[in-house]
Amino acid sequence: MDTEMLFKIFCGAIAAVMIIYYIRRQKKMLSFFIGAFTGGAALFIVNKYGPLFGTDIPLNLFNILGSLILGAPFVAFIVIMNFL
């Protein structure tokens, strides 16, 4: 099993956990928007300033949707996978 397949399996599992988390919250939309904002902001910061630290994360559809749905932990995981 290669790294890309492990990454996709992990992202799918985390997406399922986050959907369950958002469903169980009392303020579902507020939780989703806060998570999406922090994920988008983290992706923007890593994309803009990442090359200074040796991390080049492109802005593509997968990364944008992943950061908006899963939040900042997705961006942190992308950075960690980039170093592997």
Side-chain angles (χ1 to χ4, degrees):
M1 203 180 279
D2 61 342
T3 307
E4 184 176 342
M5 182 59 90
L6 286 173
F7 181 71
K8 289 180 181 180
I9 290 171
F10 183 75
C11 287
I14 296 298
V17 169
M18 290 304 292
I19 289 170
I20 292 169
Y21 170 76
Y22 287 137
I23 289 172
R24 290 187 174 183
R25 300 283 300 191
Q26 283 188 334
K27 298 181 180 182
K28 294 170 180 50
M29 293 306 290
L30 181 64
S31 295
F32 175 74
F33 286 127
I34 290 173
F37 176 75
T38 58
L43 183 65
F44 174 75
I45 290 169
V46 169
N47 183 11
K48 183 154 180 82
Y49 300 109
L52 296 173
F53 303 105
T55 302
D56 186 26
I57 304 298
L59 289 179
N60 56 28
L61 185 62
F62 179 76
N63 290 342
I64 292 171
L65 289 178
S67 66
L68 292 178
I69 294 172
L70 301 176
F74 177 79
V75 178
F77 187 69
I78 290 175
V79 171
I80 291 169
M81 291 297 289
N82 193 18
F83 283 118
L84 295 180

